[in-house]
Structures are given as C-alpha cells and as structure tokens.
C-alpha cells in the first residue's frame, strides 16, 4: 500500500500502545504512511495543539476502560498533517488499541461549515430579537411624547397671548411630526424583520379598497404643508376585492407618502383605480423630481436611495417592503419615471392569482 492508495480508500491505520502512548505494535499502513521512522510515542505524530487532549483521552480510556472516538491531526509525512477519525479502546491485556481513519477533506469542511452556519443562525436570531424588543420598547415612550405634545397644543389654543402661543405651537408641531416619523420608521423596521423571517400573515378577505384608499387620501391631504391634495379617478365598476386590508393600506400609504414627498411644490399627484373583469390596479403618479435612469432598477432594493433623493429625508426601506407585500399577495408592482417630470407606480392584482 502507498500514500495514494490510503487517500482513496480511507484505509485503516492501527497501533497498540501502553497507557502512556508508547507504541508496542503497528500495522503496515501506519508504518508506511505515518512513520517510516518509528518513534517511541504515538504523541510524536500528533499535531502539537492536540497533544494535550490526546494524552488526556489515553489516560481516561485506560482508567475508565471506556472507548473514545475523536478527530486528531497526525503528521502525514515530515511536514504536513491530516485529519484522522481516531478510536481508542482498552484490550483485555491492558494495552491500548488505537485506530485511525483518514477523514475526507470535504467531510471535514462540511463539519466546519455546519458549525459556522449554526453560529450564524444563532447570531441572526439574537439580532432579530434585539431589533424587535427595542422597537417595541420605543413605541410606548414615543406615544407618550406624542400625546403629551397634543395635550399641550390643545392647552396653547386656550391661551390669549398670541405671540407666545404661536412660537410654542411651532415647537410642538415639530415634536408631533418627528414622533410620527419615528413611529413610521419603527413600524417599517418591525415589518421588515417579520418579512425576513417569513412571518408576515396574509389574511385575504373581501375588501372595499375604494373606501380604504379614500380614507388614506384624506389622511395624507390633511398633513400637506403646501396644501396639495391627491386627485382620485376611478375607471370600471367598483367592487370588493380579495386582499389583506392591513397590508394593502401599508402599500398605498407608502406610495402616497412618496408621491407627495418627492414632488414638493409641484402639481397635485394622481391616484387612479381601475377595476376590470380580471382584477384591479392602482396607479399613483406624481409630477416631481423623477427617478434617474441609472437608479430605477434598484429602488426596490433594501436601503437603496436614488442620487437625486439624498437631500430629502428617507430610509430606503419603504419600497422594499411594498414589493414584498404586493408579491406576498401574488400581485405585481411596476414603476416608470422621467427625470424632473413624473413618476408612476402601478400595482396590479388579478382575481385568480
Ligand atoms: P425612502 O423614500 O425612505 O428613501 P423608499 O424605499 O420609499 O425609501 O424609496 C426608495 C427610493 O426610491 C427613494 O429614496 C427615491 O430615490 C426613490 N423614489 C421612490 N418614490 C419616488 C417618487 N415618487 N419620486 C421619485 N423618487 C422616488
């Protein structure tokens, strides 16, 4: 037998030692492959970092009369080491039998990979737990801040000093708006995290999307500082559709918010709902900054923000979530845009999908 044969057949190396590891007998494979030059102790062939544990196992095997299996690196020739699955057991005459099987390199790598993956999984679970716990914890103080600001706003309205009331009102409006922004961010993070873990529940039910959209429009119209409103057009015959109302509202809310945000001081944005026999689609169109051609294919990527949007506040989370939620309900989301002219998002749902 030669070294090549052993590598391919994973043949067995076998030795007998005393309880200190001094070699008494060895088979031909051991002689040929590991120690052309037989030395006294098996420990001389063991990788230096494993000598201590090898010694401990020998001692333990001898004392407890129990066999042990473990992996160890043996000096394969003068310079290199190879992994061997090693079994140590005691014979009736108190000598120790040691067998070594050459371990396939890939097998070893798979073991290491599995270890790495389970560590990675653990770390990612810890990360998710951290994110969801802190996000939930932030919600309570945030709602206290917001409601306190609202109470103070109501109080200010009763004060006769107009100058004082106006200047404080501005601060309170800021607190209120920023609390809303933070709360949207937390909701985005939580929903993102659920989506990552495939934990978003989709409860399709017969939904009146027209009134849902009208309510959302009302909410958005009320908070526009430049006084703009979302125009609404309907084609086809309105009817209830099978959709998850909560997820749908999130989608629409995000598209409306972007339409206003990226078109400050331009024309009113448009929302068009089209009903047909095969399904329905909702288009949200604005006449603002548009999306550069080189960015448009990436805007659904997590945290991606186009170059012309960097001065406008945002996180790059919303559209990624929108796409996930639309696709979760077997819909499609499309975008087209002309720089500095217009941007249109279209969500399409078919009845039979
Ligand atoms: P955010 O608005 O928080 O940055 P989104 O995920 O909602 O995150 O959007 C990703 C990017 O897509 C934005 O940063 C912007 O570059 C671009 N975008 C989205 N909607 C519009 C729009 N209506 N007009 C122009 N650009 C848009």
């Amino acid at each position: 037998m030669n070294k090549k044969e052993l590598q391919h057949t994973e043949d067995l190396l076998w030795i007998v030692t005393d309880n200190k590891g001094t070699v008494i007998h060895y088979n031909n494979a051991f002689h040929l492959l590991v120690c052309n030059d037989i030395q006294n102790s098996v420990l001389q062939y063991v990788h230096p970092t494993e000598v201590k544990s090898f010694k401990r196992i020998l001692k333990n095997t001898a004392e407890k009369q129990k066999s042990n299996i473990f992996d160890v690196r043996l000096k394969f020739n003068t310079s290199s080491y190879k992994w061997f699955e090693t079994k140590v057991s005691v014979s009736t005459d108190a000598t120790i039998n040691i067998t070594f099987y050459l371990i396939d390199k890939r097998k070893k790598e798979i073991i290491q990979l599995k270890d790495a993956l389970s560590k990675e999984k653990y770390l990612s679970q810890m990360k998710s737990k951290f994110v969801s716990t802190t996000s939930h914890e932030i919600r309570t103080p945030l709602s206290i801040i917001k409601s306190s600001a609202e109470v103070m706003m109501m109080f200010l309205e009763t004060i006769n000093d107009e100058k004082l009331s106006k200047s404080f009102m501005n601060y309170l409006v800021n607190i209120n708006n920023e609390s809303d922004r933070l709360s949207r961010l937390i909701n985005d993070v939580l929903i993102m995290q659920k989506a990552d873990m495939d934990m978003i529940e989709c409860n399709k039910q017969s939904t009146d999307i027209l009134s849902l959209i009208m309510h959302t429009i009302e909410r958005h119209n009320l908070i526009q500082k430049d006084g703009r409103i979302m125009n609404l057009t309907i084609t086809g015959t309105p009817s209830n559709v099978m959709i998850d109302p909560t997820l749908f509202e999130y989608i629409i809310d995000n598209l409306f918010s972007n339409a206003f945000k990226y078109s400050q001081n331009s024309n009113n944005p448009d929302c068009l709902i089209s009903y047909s026999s095969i399904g329905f689609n909702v288009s949200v169109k604005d006449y603002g900054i548009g999306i550069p051609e080189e960015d448009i294919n990436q805007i659904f990527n997590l945290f991606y923000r186009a170059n012309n949007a960097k001065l406008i506040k945002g996180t790059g989370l919303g559209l990624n979530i929108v796409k996930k939620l639309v696709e979760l309900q077997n819909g499609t989301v499309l975008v087209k845009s002309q720089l500095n002219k217009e941007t249109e998002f279209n969500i399409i749902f078919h009845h039979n999908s």
Side-chain angles (χ1 to χ4, degrees), residues 254 258-259 261-262 286 289-291 299 304-306 309 314-320 343 345:
N254 236 284
N258 279 350
K261 184 167 78 170
Y262 294 110
D286 68 76
I289 63 169
I291 304 171
I299 54 162
Y304 193 85
R305 308 203 67 222
T315 56
L317 277 171
L319 284 184
N320 183 272
T343 301
F345 286 88

Side-chain angles (χ1 to χ4, degrees), residues 212-321:
L212 195 149
I213 287 177
M214 279 163 54
H215 279 127
T216 314
I217 288 181
E218 264 172 42
R219 250 191 312 113
H220 281 268
N221 288 351
L222 271 178
I223 55 169
Q224 298 316 312
K225 286 186 188 138
D226 56 9
R228 289 183 304 151
I229 56 159
M230 173 78 66
N231 297 324
L232 177 64
T233 313
I234 300 149
T235 66
T237 314
S239 61
N240 277 18
V241 296
M242 291 304 286
I243 200 114
D244 181 309
T246 315
L247 302 186
F248 185 74
E249 189 175 350
Y250 182 94
I251 295 164
I252 294 297
D253 197 64
N254 236 284
L255 297 180
F256 285 181
S257 149
N258 279 350
F260 280 113
K261 184 167 78 170
Y262 294 110
S263 68
Q264 293 288 301
N265 303 315
S266 74
N267 291 343
N268 288 335
D270 285 310
C271 173
L272 168 68
I273 313 174
S274 313
Y275 294 92
S276 76
S277 55
I278 54 164
F280 72 97
N281 67 300
V282 181
S283 134
V284 182
K285 190 171 180 180
D286 68 76
Y287 308 91
I289 63 169
I291 304 171
E293 223 178 299
E294 64 271 21
D295 293 312
I296 200 155
N297 289 331
Q298 301 180 72
I299 54 162
F300 292 102
N301 295 348
L302 192 57
F303 301 126
Y304 193 85
R305 308 203 67 222
N307 263 323
N308 62 338
K310 299 272 160 78
L311 294 177
I312 301 169
K313 281 179 187 168
T315 56
L317 277 171
L319 284 184
N320 183 272
I321 300 174

